[in-house]
Amino acid sequence: MKRRNFVKSTLLGSMTTALGIDIAFGAVMPEGYTPLALQDPDPFKMFDKDPQMVVLNDKPWNMEAQAHLLDDKITPNKYMFIRNNGKIPETIDVDNWTLGFDGESVKQQKTYTLNELKTNFKQYTYQLTLECGGNGRSEFDPPAKGNQWTIGAVSCATWTGVRLKDVLEDVGIKDNAVYIGYHAADTHLSGDPSKEPISRGVPIAKALQDETLIAFKMNGKDIPLAHGYPLRLIVGGWPASASGKWLNRISIRNKVHDGPKMTGTAYRVPCKPVAPGEKVKDEDMCIIESMPVKSLITYPKSGATIKKGSSFNIRGHAWAGELEVSKVEYSIDFGSTWKTCQLEAPANRLAWQHFKASIEFPQQGYYEVWARATDSNNIAQPMLLPGWNPKGYLNNACHRIAVKVS
Ligand SMILES: Nc1nc2c(c(=O)[nH]1)N[C@H]1C(S)=C(S)[C@@H](COP(=O)(O)O)O[C@H]1N2
Ligand SMILES: [Mo]
């Protein structure tokens, strides 16, 4: 067989596999042609997501939830946002997957197989809130480049894995360790194999917290491919960008990790407030650590209509980075007065907390229900967009829903 025909029949074969059915007239399909069904994959089917999820970008894939989709106490995969900086790895060789440890501050380099990680260390399960640092970016003015997240880049799933601190103890780290940095198997959009799409990390103290996991299960099952199968770092309460997916190496650094997306305006904000649109010097930018206090009304869906006199219940979740949420309040008069919601304790540290309230409306008409959470340091959510920053991070303004009482 000539090379050309060989390539063509191999391609036909892989297309047939992808489509799950033979391509009729495949032999006369023009060379280099991609069948429509493969040009436009259905992202909801591909990632097992609910069709109400909103696709923000397909190169790379980024998808967010809507508030009412996040009503579950523990976020199921179908409603979990996807944030990718590069290309999802195409093939995962799970049988030969390893996690390496290196860097200036390891006592010796070490590599573990998946099986060694699972069997040599005690396993823990926690509910952990992951919010993209750019959640809420769409409201910034002047606008910030990047995915225009509204409110749906947050989740709280159950993660199972081993503690990073237990593994680090086994590896042995030097006294001069200050930071960890992750490395992963996703590839750069440019196709350049020498470039990592993202390689972020956290200070050693955060890495050594009990809840910082090297996870291999989400909600009791293998982690879905889009969320980091077969292994990911989970660092609850910090920008979710610290939670490296498709994890295959961790560097223990004697300085602040300097991988892609650790510097410049990436996941950094002005150390001191600046005017909207102001240019900020590199040395005046600080790495985002704990995420700010925030809440979401997940029931009812904005736009609900009710009959005057019938009972009206709202519910949702609140979270506060490293801290606990101490109270959640609601207002039906555009923030003039506030009433307290019932608030549950977190399932564990760094899990979001559930709130609910029963509301009485004084008369018919259009209302907005606003929710406002306060953290254990007594810092409350702002009612409007807080501190402008070049990349539009950390918008924790109050969430609101519209209600018509007839
Ligand atoms: N390897 C790798 N890890 C990654 C990313 C990525 O692009 N590649 N994106 C990060 C960012 S910016 C976020 S917000 C979270 C999103 O996690 P999720 O897609 O599971 O919701 O993953 C983080 N971990
Ligand atoms: Mo992110």
Side-chain angles (χ1 to χ4, degrees):
M1 194 153 71
K2 281 201 198 122
R3 204 192 111 76
R4 241 178 74 179
N5 288 337
F6 173 74
V7 170
K8 191 171 173 186
S9 68
T10 319
L11 274 175
L12 259 182
S14 59
M15 287 175 183
T16 303
T17 312
L19 287 168
I21 191 163
D22 276 346
I23 304 177
F25 302 113
V28 294
M29 194 167 67
E31 235 181 297
Y33 181 81
T34 309
L36 282 180
L38 294 177
Q39 280 177 26
D40 198 9
D42 178 343
F44 308 107
K45 281 203 190 118
M46 190 162 62
F47 298 123
D48 217 355
K49 299 291 172 184
D50 187 281
Q52 293 174 86
M53 295 289 283
V54 180
V55 174
L56 299 185
N57 193 351
D58 62 350
K59 288 183 187 75
W61 283 109
N62 285 286
M63 205 186 264
E64 76 169 336
Q66 305 182 54
H68 70 280
L69 301 179
L70 292 170
D71 193 42
D72 296 274
K73 290 191 165 180
I74 296 171
T75 314
N77 176 49
K78 64 181 172 180
Y79 299 138
M80 186 179 280
F81 79 98
I82 300 176
R83 163 61 170 135
N84 294 320
N85 290 265
K87 287 188 228 168
I88 297 175
E90 265 162 32
T91 47
I92 303 276
D93 184 1
V94 62
D95 295 331
N96 295 305
W97 194 274
T98 56
L99 177 63
F101 287 83
D102 65 7
E104 303 92 356
S105 299
V106 281
K107 286 188 178 150
Q108 88 278 338
Q109 295 198 1
K110 207 158 174 179
T111 299
Y112 299 90
T113 64
L114 269 185
N115 201 40
E116 282 168 341
L117 285 173
K118 290 179 185 174
T119 52
N120 295 3
F121 301 96
K122 188 166 178 223
Q123 300 185 11
Y124 296 85
T125 299
Y126 299 110
Q127 292 173 28
L128 295 164
T129 309
L130 290 186
E131 182 180 19
C132 178
N135 197 21
R137 175 178 293 139
S138 62
E139 286 188 69
F140 279 80
D141 185 25
K145 286 208 192 91
N147 288 294
Q148 295 301 301
W149 305 108
T150 63
I151 40 98
V154 61
S155 67
C156 184
T158 295
W159 295 94
T160 302
V162 296
R163 286 178 170 161
L164 176 57
K165 74 170 191 185
D166 291 348
V167 182
L168 287 181
E169 197 186 330
D170 191 64
V171 172
I173 61 172
K174 294 185 194 160
D175 292 341
N176 66 355
V178 296
Y179 234 85
I180 62 133
Y182 67 74
H183 303 278
D186 49 343
T187 52
H188 199 268
L189 289 176
S190 66
D192 181 346
S194 69
K195 280 192 188 156
E196 296 178 283
I198 185 169
S199 168
R200 303 197 68 248
V202 293
I204 217 73
K206 178 66 180 168
L208 296 179
Q209 281 184 1
D210 286 354
E211 300 81 8
T212 301
L213 296 181
I214 300 170
F216 36 77
K217 278 190 176 171
M218 185 185 105
N219 295 339
K221 298 194 190 120
D222 282 348
I223 300 174
L225 175 64
H227 297 291
Y229 180 75
L231 202 63
R232 86 176 286 183
L233 200 58
I234 293 287
V235 183
W238 283 40
S241 51
S243 296
K245 307 192 273 190
W246 313 290
L247 179 71
N248 56 21
R249 187 161 56 93
I250 293 179
S251 302
I252 317 302
R253 309 298 311 267
N254 63 1
K255 57 180 181 188
V256 175
H257 182 58
D258 50 4
K261 311 247 158 148
M262 283 303 293
T263 54
T265 53
Y267 303 102
R268 302 204 309 167
V269 291
C271 308
K272 295 198 187 100
V274 299
E278 201 175 308
K279 281 252 175 304
V280 190
K281 284 201 229 111
D282 203 56
E283 62 266 32
D284 294 335
M285 297 289 283
C286 285
I287 297 172
I288 301 169
E289 300 202 323
S290 178
M291 292 292 286
V293 61
K294 197 161 171 180
S295 60
L296 262 188
I297 303 167
T298 58
Y299 182 88
K301 188 177 173 180
S302 187
T305 52
I306 62 150
K307 286 252 168 311
K308 166 101 185 69
S310 56
S311 69
F312 186 78
N313 299 312
I314 60 159
R315 59 174 181 255
H317 321 289
W319 60 99
E322 283 287 311
L323 303 173
E324 248 187 59
V325 175
S326 60
K327 75 177 167 190
V328 178
E329 299 155 294
Y330 74 88
S331 173
I332 58 168
D333 54 11
F334 302 100
S336 310
T337 62
W338 295 87
K339 289 203 169 96
T340 310
C341 301
Q342 267 176 293
L343 176 67
E344 287 179 28
N348 50 255
R349 216 175 76 79
L350 312 181
W352 67 17
Q353 294 167 244
H354 317 296
F355 67 86
K356 60 181 180 189
S358 180
I359 301 181
E360 272 173 43
F361 295 98
Q363 64 199 45
Q364 293 179 338
Y366 171 86
Y367 290 86
E368 290 186 7
V369 181
W370 294 10
R372 179 175 73 181
T374 302
D375 70 23
S376 48
N377 283 346
N378 215 22
I379 306 288
Q381 287 182 260
M383 277 185 268
L384 298 173
L385 180 83
W388 183 91
N389 60 84
K391 282 297 290 285
Y393 296 120
L394 307 183
N395 176 3
N396 67 335
C398 290
H399 181 226
R400 315 114 205 257
I401 59 166
V403 180
K404 280 185 197 152
V405 180
S406 57

PDB file of all heavy atoms in Angstrom, residues 38-66:
ATOM      1  N   LEU A  38     -17.462  15.196  13.716  1.00  0.00           N
ATOM      2  CA  LEU A  38     -16.220  15.254  14.494  1.00  0.00           C
ATOM      3  C   LEU A  38     -15.677  16.679  14.576  1.00  0.00           C
ATOM      4  O   LEU A  38     -14.873  17.003  15.436  1.00  0.00           O
ATOM      5  CB  LEU A  38     -15.162  14.333  13.891  1.00  0.00           C
ATOM      6  CG  LEU A  38     -15.489  12.848  13.952  1.00  0.00           C
ATOM      7  CD1 LEU A  38     -14.395  12.035  13.266  1.00  0.00           C
ATOM      8  CD2 LEU A  38     -15.659  12.375  15.389  1.00  0.00           C
ATOM      9  N   GLN A  39     -16.145  17.543  13.664  1.00  0.00           N
ATOM     10  CA  GLN A  39     -15.689  18.934  13.703  1.00  0.00           C
ATOM     11  C   GLN A  39     -16.279  19.637  14.905  1.00  0.00           C
ATOM     12  O   GLN A  39     -15.728  20.558  15.456  1.00  0.00           O
ATOM     13  CB  GLN A  39     -16.166  19.685  12.456  1.00  0.00           C
ATOM     14  CG  GLN A  39     -15.320  19.441  11.231  1.00  0.00           C
ATOM     15  CD  GLN A  39     -15.899  20.163  10.024  1.00  0.00           C
ATOM     16  OE1 GLN A  39     -16.591  21.153  10.153  1.00  0.00           O
ATOM     17  NE2 GLN A  39     -15.609  19.642   8.849  1.00  0.00           N
ATOM     18  N   ASP A  40     -17.497  19.241  15.255  1.00  0.00           N
ATOM     19  CA  ASP A  40     -18.237  19.987  16.249  1.00  0.00           C
ATOM     20  C   ASP A  40     -18.684  19.040  17.365  1.00  0.00           C
ATOM     21  O   ASP A  40     -19.848  18.707  17.460  1.00  0.00           O
ATOM     22  CB  ASP A  40     -19.444  20.624  15.549  1.00  0.00           C
ATOM     23  CG  ASP A  40     -20.016  21.752  16.373  1.00  0.00           C
ATOM     24  OD1 ASP A  40     -19.376  22.123  17.367  1.00  0.00           O
ATOM     25  OD2 ASP A  40     -21.099  22.237  16.020  1.00  0.00           O
ATOM     26  N   PRO A  41     -17.756  18.578  18.170  1.00  0.00           N
ATOM     27  CA  PRO A  41     -18.148  17.620  19.197  1.00  0.00           C
ATOM     28  C   PRO A  41     -19.098  18.274  20.192  1.00  0.00           C
ATOM     29  O   PRO A  41     -19.007  19.472  20.437  1.00  0.00           O
ATOM     30  CB  PRO A  41     -16.823  17.260  19.871  1.00  0.00           C
ATOM     31  CG  PRO A  41     -15.925  18.409  19.592  1.00  0.00           C
ATOM     32  CD  PRO A  41     -16.365  18.992  18.283  1.00  0.00           C
ATOM     33  N   ASP A  42     -20.029  17.516  20.690  1.00  0.00           N
ATOM     34  CA  ASP A  42     -20.968  18.038  21.678  1.00  0.00           C
ATOM     35  C   ASP A  42     -20.268  18.064  23.033  1.00  0.00           C
ATOM     36  O   ASP A  42     -20.026  17.029  23.640  1.00  0.00           O
ATOM     37  CB  ASP A  42     -22.199  17.124  21.716  1.00  0.00           C
ATOM     38  CG  ASP A  42     -23.206  17.578  22.756  1.00  0.00           C
ATOM     39  OD1 ASP A  42     -22.829  18.364  23.648  1.00  0.00           O
ATOM     40  OD2 ASP A  42     -24.361  17.152  22.668  1.00  0.00           O
ATOM     41  N   PRO A  43     -19.902  19.261  23.525  1.00  0.00           N
ATOM     42  CA  PRO A  43     -19.101  19.322  24.753  1.00  0.00           C
ATOM     43  C   PRO A  43     -19.853  18.774  25.961  1.00  0.00           C
ATOM     44  O   PRO A  43     -19.234  18.287  26.902  1.00  0.00           O
ATOM     45  CB  PRO A  43     -18.825  20.813  24.916  1.00  0.00           C
ATOM     46  CG  PRO A  43     -19.868  21.512  24.132  1.00  0.00           C
ATOM     47  CD  PRO A  43     -20.250  20.589  23.012  1.00  0.00           C
ATOM     48  N   PHE A  44     -21.182  18.862  25.918  1.00  0.00           N
ATOM     49  CA  PHE A  44     -21.954  18.390  27.079  1.00  0.00           C
ATOM     50  C   PHE A  44     -21.865  16.872  27.183  1.00  0.00           C
ATOM     51  O   PHE A  44     -21.690  16.320  28.264  1.00  0.00           O
ATOM     52  CB  PHE A  44     -23.397  18.893  26.987  1.00  0.00           C
ATOM     53  CG  PHE A  44     -23.465  20.379  26.778  1.00  0.00           C
ATOM     54  CD1 PHE A  44     -23.818  20.910  25.555  1.00  0.00           C
ATOM     55  CD2 PHE A  44     -23.108  21.240  27.810  1.00  0.00           C
ATOM     56  CE1 PHE A  44     -23.837  22.281  25.352  1.00  0.00           C
ATOM     57  CE2 PHE A  44     -23.116  22.617  27.622  1.00  0.00           C
ATOM     58  CZ  PHE A  44     -23.482  23.140  26.390  1.00  0.00           C
ATOM     59  N   LYS A  45     -21.957  16.218  26.016  1.00  0.00           N
ATOM     60  CA  LYS A  45     -21.808  14.755  26.014  1.00  0.00           C
ATOM     61  C   LYS A  45     -20.370  14.379  26.311  1.00  0.00           C
ATOM     62  O   LYS A  45     -20.085  13.478  27.089  1.00  0.00           O
ATOM     63  CB  LYS A  45     -22.203  14.191  24.649  1.00  0.00           C
ATOM     64  CG  LYS A  45     -23.693  14.076  24.468  1.00  0.00           C
ATOM     65  CD  LYS A  45     -24.013  13.033  23.393  1.00  0.00           C
ATOM     66  CE  LYS A  45     -25.493  13.102  23.056  1.00  0.00           C
ATOM     67  NZ  LYS A  45     -25.719  13.459  21.639  1.00  0.00           N
ATOM     68  N   MET A  46     -19.455  15.094  25.660  1.00  0.00           N
ATOM     69  CA  MET A  46     -18.034  14.760  25.777  1.00  0.00           C
ATOM     70  C   MET A  46     -17.572  14.821  27.240  1.00  0.00           C
ATOM     71  O   MET A  46     -16.790  14.000  27.695  1.00  0.00           O
ATOM     72  CB  MET A  46     -17.235  15.760  24.933  1.00  0.00           C
ATOM     73  CG  MET A  46     -15.784  15.431  24.752  1.00  0.00           C
ATOM     74  SD  MET A  46     -15.106  16.338  23.358  1.00  0.00           S
ATOM     75  CE  MET A  46     -15.296  18.030  23.838  1.00  0.00           C
ATOM     76  N   PHE A  47     -18.062  15.799  27.978  1.00  0.00           N
ATOM     77  CA  PHE A  47     -17.610  15.975  29.364  1.00  0.00           C
ATOM     78  C   PHE A  47     -18.657  15.540  30.384  1.00  0.00           C
ATOM     79  O   PHE A  47     -18.486  15.773  31.573  1.00  0.00           O
ATOM     80  CB  PHE A  47     -17.240  17.445  29.615  1.00  0.00           C
ATOM     81  CG  PHE A  47     -16.110  17.942  28.757  1.00  0.00           C
ATOM     82  CD1 PHE A  47     -16.272  19.041  27.932  1.00  0.00           C
ATOM     83  CD2 PHE A  47     -14.877  17.295  28.770  1.00  0.00           C
ATOM     84  CE1 PHE A  47     -15.226  19.508  27.141  1.00  0.00           C
ATOM     85  CE2 PHE A  47     -13.828  17.751  27.982  1.00  0.00           C
ATOM     86  CZ  PHE A  47     -14.009  18.855  27.168  1.00  0.00           C
ATOM     87  N   ASP A  48     -19.753  14.957  29.885  1.00  0.00           N
ATOM     88  CA  ASP A  48     -20.802  14.486  30.790  1.00  0.00           C
ATOM     89  C   ASP A  48     -21.402  15.641  31.606  1.00  0.00           C
ATOM     90  O   ASP A  48     -21.559  15.553  32.827  1.00  0.00           O
ATOM     91  CB  ASP A  48     -20.186  13.442  31.736  1.00  0.00           C
ATOM     92  CG  ASP A  48     -21.160  12.324  32.026  1.00  0.00           C
ATOM     93  OD1 ASP A  48     -22.307  12.419  31.577  1.00  0.00           O
ATOM     94  OD2 ASP A  48     -20.751  11.365  32.716  1.00  0.00           O
ATOM     95  N   LYS A  49     -21.660  16.743  30.913  1.00  0.00           N
ATOM     96  CA  LYS A  49     -22.189  17.936  31.588  1.00  0.00           C
ATOM     97  C   LYS A  49     -23.653  18.153  31.233  1.00  0.00           C
ATOM     98  O   LYS A  49     -24.104  17.767  30.156  1.00  0.00           O
ATOM     99  CB  LYS A  49     -21.395  19.184  31.168  1.00  0.00           C
ATOM    100  CG  LYS A  49     -19.920  19.143  31.526  1.00  0.00           C
ATOM    101  CD  LYS A  49     -19.691  19.229  33.015  1.00  0.00           C
ATOM    102  CE  LYS A  49     -18.238  19.000  33.365  1.00  0.00           C
ATOM    103  NZ  LYS A  49     -17.967  18.987  34.787  1.00  0.00           N
ATOM    104  N   ASP A  50     -24.361  18.841  32.102  1.00  0.00           N
ATOM    105  CA  ASP A  50     -25.735  19.217  31.838  1.00  0.00           C
ATOM    106  C   ASP A  50     -25.757  20.270  30.718  1.00  0.00           C
ATOM    107  O   ASP A  50     -24.936  21.196  30.728  1.00  0.00           O
ATOM    108  CB  ASP A  50     -26.345  19.797  33.120  1.00  0.00           C
ATOM    109  CG  ASP A  50     -27.827  20.063  32.973  1.00  0.00           C
ATOM    110  OD1 ASP A  50     -28.192  21.097  32.366  1.00  0.00           O
ATOM    111  OD2 ASP A  50     -28.606  19.232  33.459  1.00  0.00           O
ATOM    112  N   PRO A  51     -26.694  20.161  29.764  1.00  0.00           N
ATOM    113  CA  PRO A  51     -26.736  21.123  28.651  1.00  0.00           C
ATOM    114  C   PRO A  51     -27.023  22.565  29.095  1.00  0.00           C
ATOM    115  O   PRO A  51     -26.845  23.491  28.305  1.00  0.00           O
ATOM    116  CB  PRO A  51     -27.870  20.607  27.756  1.00  0.00           C
ATOM    117  CG  PRO A  51     -28.212  19.258  28.236  1.00  0.00           C
ATOM    118  CD  PRO A  51     -27.667  19.063  29.611  1.00  0.00           C
ATOM    119  N   GLN A  52     -27.445  22.766  30.356  1.00  0.00           N
ATOM    120  CA  GLN A  52     -27.625  24.150  30.832  1.00  0.00           C
ATOM    121  C   GLN A  52     -26.304  24.805  31.224  1.00  0.00           C
ATOM    122  O   GLN A  52     -26.272  25.993  31.537  1.00  0.00           O
ATOM    123  CB  GLN A  52     -28.536  24.176  32.052  1.00  0.00           C
ATOM    124  CG  GLN A  52     -29.962  23.770  31.772  1.00  0.00           C
ATOM    125  CD  GLN A  52     -30.739  23.688  33.076  1.00  0.00           C
ATOM    126  OE1 GLN A  52     -31.262  24.677  33.557  1.00  0.00           O
ATOM    127  NE2 GLN A  52     -30.792  22.503  33.659  1.00  0.00           N
ATOM    128  N   MET A  53     -25.228  24.037  31.235  1.00  0.00           N
ATOM    129  CA  MET A  53     -23.911  24.638  31.493  1.00  0.00           C
ATOM    130  C   MET A  53     -23.590  25.573  30.323  1.00  0.00           C
ATOM    131  O   MET A  53     -24.071  25.392  29.213  1.00  0.00           O
ATOM    132  CB  MET A  53     -22.836  23.555  31.607  1.00  0.00           C
ATOM    133  CG  MET A  53     -23.027  22.626  32.791  1.00  0.00           C
ATOM    134  SD  MET A  53     -22.688  23.390  34.388  1.00  0.00           S
ATOM    135  CE  MET A  53     -20.894  23.393  34.395  1.00  0.00           C
ATOM    136  N   VAL A  54     -22.754  26.569  30.572  1.00  0.00           N
ATOM    137  CA  VAL A  54     -22.482  27.578  29.543  1.00  0.00           C
ATOM    138  C   VAL A  54     -21.023  27.472  29.088  1.00  0.00           C
ATOM    139  O   VAL A  54     -20.104  27.565  29.915  1.00  0.00           O
ATOM    140  CB  VAL A  54     -22.755  28.996  30.104  1.00  0.00           C
ATOM    141  CG1 VAL A  54     -22.484  30.046  29.040  1.00  0.00           C
ATOM    142  CG2 VAL A  54     -24.193  29.093  30.604  1.00  0.00           C
ATOM    143  N   VAL A  55     -20.832  27.258  27.780  1.00  0.00           N
ATOM    144  CA  VAL A  55     -19.475  27.164  27.232  1.00  0.00           C
ATOM    145  C   VAL A  55     -18.937  28.573  27.003  1.00  0.00           C
ATOM    146  O   VAL A  55     -19.550  29.365  26.297  1.00  0.00           O
ATOM    147  CB  VAL A  55     -19.469  26.370  25.904  1.00  0.00           C
ATOM    148  CG1 VAL A  55     -18.086  26.395  25.268  1.00  0.00           C
ATOM    149  CG2 VAL A  55     -19.918  24.932  26.138  1.00  0.00           C
ATOM    150  N   LEU A  56     -17.800  28.894  27.606  1.00  0.00           N
ATOM    151  CA  LEU A  56     -17.194  30.224  27.430  1.00  0.00           C
ATOM    152  C   LEU A  56     -16.105  30.206  26.371  1.00  0.00           C
ATOM    153  O   LEU A  56     -15.768  31.241  25.811  1.00  0.00           O
ATOM    154  CB  LEU A  56     -16.597  30.725  28.746  1.00  0.00           C
ATOM    155  CG  LEU A  56     -17.552  30.899  29.925  1.00  0.00           C
ATOM    156  CD1 LEU A  56     -16.822  31.511  31.104  1.00  0.00           C
ATOM    157  CD2 LEU A  56     -18.739  31.766  29.547  1.00  0.00           C
ATOM    158  N   ASN A  57     -15.556  29.043  26.120  1.00  0.00           N
ATOM    159  CA  ASN A  57     -14.440  28.938  25.176  1.00  0.00           C
ATOM    160  C   ASN A  57     -14.275  27.460  24.816  1.00  0.00           C
ATOM    161  O   ASN A  57     -14.475  26.600  25.680  1.00  0.00           O
ATOM    162  CB  ASN A  57     -13.153  29.457  25.851  1.00  0.00           C
ATOM    163  CG  ASN A  57     -12.018  29.694  24.879  1.00  0.00           C
ATOM    164  OD1 ASN A  57     -12.084  29.327  23.706  1.00  0.00           O
ATOM    165  ND2 ASN A  57     -10.956  30.306  25.366  1.00  0.00           N
ATOM    166  N   ASP A  58     -13.944  27.179  23.555  1.00  0.00           N
ATOM    167  CA  ASP A  58     -13.708  25.776  23.210  1.00  0.00           C
ATOM    168  C   ASP A  58     -12.238  25.490  22.907  1.00  0.00           C
ATOM    169  O   ASP A  58     -11.852  24.345  22.731  1.00  0.00           O
ATOM    170  CB  ASP A  58     -14.625  25.311  22.062  1.00  0.00           C
ATOM    171  CG  ASP A  58     -14.384  26.069  20.767  1.00  0.00           C
ATOM    172  OD1 ASP A  58     -13.636  27.079  20.797  1.00  0.00           O
ATOM    173  OD2 ASP A  58     -14.948  25.672  19.737  1.00  0.00           O
ATOM    174  N   LYS A  59     -11.409  26.536  22.842  1.00  0.00           N
ATOM    175  CA  LYS A  59      -9.972  26.334  22.629  1.00  0.00           C
ATOM    176  C   LYS A  59      -9.194  27.217  23.577  1.00  0.00           C
ATOM    177  O   LYS A  59      -8.837  28.319  23.192  1.00  0.00           O
ATOM    178  CB  LYS A  59      -9.596  26.654  21.178  1.00  0.00           C
ATOM    179  CG  LYS A  59     -10.083  25.618  20.195  1.00  0.00           C
ATOM    180  CD  LYS A  59      -9.624  25.956  18.787  1.00  0.00           C
ATOM    181  CE  LYS A  59     -10.228  25.024  17.752  1.00  0.00           C
ATOM    182  NZ  LYS A  59     -11.653  25.298  17.450  1.00  0.00           N
ATOM    183  N   PRO A  60      -8.925  26.858  24.766  1.00  0.00           N
ATOM    184  CA  PRO A  60      -9.251  25.576  25.407  1.00  0.00           C
ATOM    185  C   PRO A  60     -10.682  25.556  25.939  1.00  0.00           C
ATOM    186  O   PRO A  60     -11.338  26.598  26.007  1.00  0.00           O
ATOM    187  CB  PRO A  60      -8.265  25.537  26.579  1.00  0.00           C
ATOM    188  CG  PRO A  60      -8.111  26.983  26.964  1.00  0.00           C
ATOM    189  CD  PRO A  60      -8.172  27.753  25.672  1.00  0.00           C
ATOM    190  N   TRP A  61     -11.112  24.366  26.338  1.00  0.00           N
ATOM    191  CA  TRP A  61     -12.465  24.202  26.864  1.00  0.00           C
ATOM    192  C   TRP A  61     -12.620  24.892  28.214  1.00  0.00           C
ATOM    193  O   TRP A  61     -11.859  24.636  29.145  1.00  0.00           O
ATOM    194  CB  TRP A  61     -12.792  22.714  27.032  1.00  0.00           C
ATOM    195  CG  TRP A  61     -13.108  22.056  25.737  1.00  0.00           C
ATOM    196  CD1 TRP A  61     -12.337  21.154  25.065  1.00  0.00           C
ATOM    197  CD2 TRP A  61     -14.296  22.244  24.938  1.00  0.00           C
ATOM    198  NE1 TRP A  61     -12.954  20.776  23.905  1.00  0.00           N
ATOM    199  CE2 TRP A  61     -14.160  21.437  23.790  1.00  0.00           C
ATOM    200  CE3 TRP A  61     -15.451  23.028  25.084  1.00  0.00           C
ATOM    201  CZ2 TRP A  61     -15.133  21.371  22.795  1.00  0.00           C
ATOM    202  CZ3 TRP A  61     -16.417  22.967  24.089  1.00  0.00           C
ATOM    203  CH2 TRP A  61     -16.252  22.150  22.958  1.00  0.00           C
ATOM    204  N   ASN A  62     -13.610  25.772  28.294  1.00  0.00           N
ATOM    205  CA  ASN A  62     -13.964  26.419  29.549  1.00  0.00           C
ATOM    206  C   ASN A  62     -15.469  26.503  29.612  1.00  0.00           C
ATOM    207  O   ASN A  62     -16.108  26.917  28.640  1.00  0.00           O
ATOM    208  CB  ASN A  62     -13.348  27.821  29.621  1.00  0.00           C
ATOM    209  CG  ASN A  62     -11.862  27.757  29.906  1.00  0.00           C
ATOM    210  OD1 ASN A  62     -11.467  27.474  31.029  1.00  0.00           O
ATOM    211  ND2 ASN A  62     -11.050  27.983  28.896  1.00  0.00           N
ATOM    212  N   MET A  63     -16.024  26.120  30.737  1.00  0.00           N
ATOM    213  CA  MET A  63     -17.473  25.976  30.865  1.00  0.00           C
ATOM    214  C   MET A  63     -17.881  26.348  32.280  1.00  0.00           C
ATOM    215  O   MET A  63     -17.196  25.960  33.223  1.00  0.00           O
ATOM    216  CB  MET A  63     -17.754  24.484  30.644  1.00  0.00           C
ATOM    217  CG  MET A  63     -19.114  24.148  30.154  1.00  0.00           C
ATOM    218  SD  MET A  63     -19.295  22.365  30.122  1.00  0.00           S
ATOM    219  CE  MET A  63     -18.909  21.971  28.448  1.00  0.00           C
ATOM    220  N   GLU A  64     -18.974  27.111  32.416  1.00  0.00           N
ATOM    221  CA  GLU A  64     -19.394  27.467  33.777  1.00  0.00           C
ATOM    222  C   GLU A  64     -20.822  27.041  34.061  1.00  0.00           C
ATOM    223  O   GLU A  64     -21.606  26.775  33.152  1.00  0.00           O
ATOM    224  CB  GLU A  64     -19.205  28.958  34.062  1.00  0.00           C
ATOM    225  CG  GLU A  64     -20.217  29.878  33.435  1.00  0.00           C
ATOM    226  CD  GLU A  64     -20.127  31.317  33.983  1.00  0.00           C
ATOM    227  OE1 GLU A  64     -19.646  31.537  35.100  1.00  0.00           O
ATOM    228  OE2 GLU A  64     -20.575  32.234  33.257  1.00  0.00           O
ATOM    229  N   ALA A  65     -21.161  27.018  35.343  1.00  0.00           N
ATOM    230  CA  ALA A  65     -22.510  26.671  35.778  1.00  0.00           C
ATOM    231  C   ALA A  65     -23.354  27.939  35.856  1.00  0.00           C
ATOM    232  O   ALA A  65     -22.855  29.043  35.694  1.00  0.00           O
ATOM    233  CB  ALA A  65     -22.459  25.989  37.139  1.00  0.00           C
ATOM    234  N   GLN A  66     -24.653  27.772  36.066  1.00  0.00           N
ATOM    235  CA  GLN A  66     -25.514  28.889  36.446  1.00  0.00           C
ATOM    236  C   GLN A  66     -25.839  28.683  37.926  1.00  0.00           C
ATOM    237  O   GLN A  66     -25.771  27.559  38.420  1.00  0.00           O
ATOM    238  CB  GLN A  66     -26.794  28.881  35.622  1.00  0.00           C
ATOM    239  CG  GLN A  66     -26.564  28.889  34.116  1.00  0.00           C
ATOM    240  CD  GLN A  66     -27.891  28.931  33.373  1.00  0.00           C
ATOM    241  OE1 GLN A  66     -28.728  29.802  33.600  1.00  0.00           O
ATOM    242  NE2 GLN A  66     -28.095  27.972  32.490  1.00  0.00           N
TER     243      GLN A  66
END
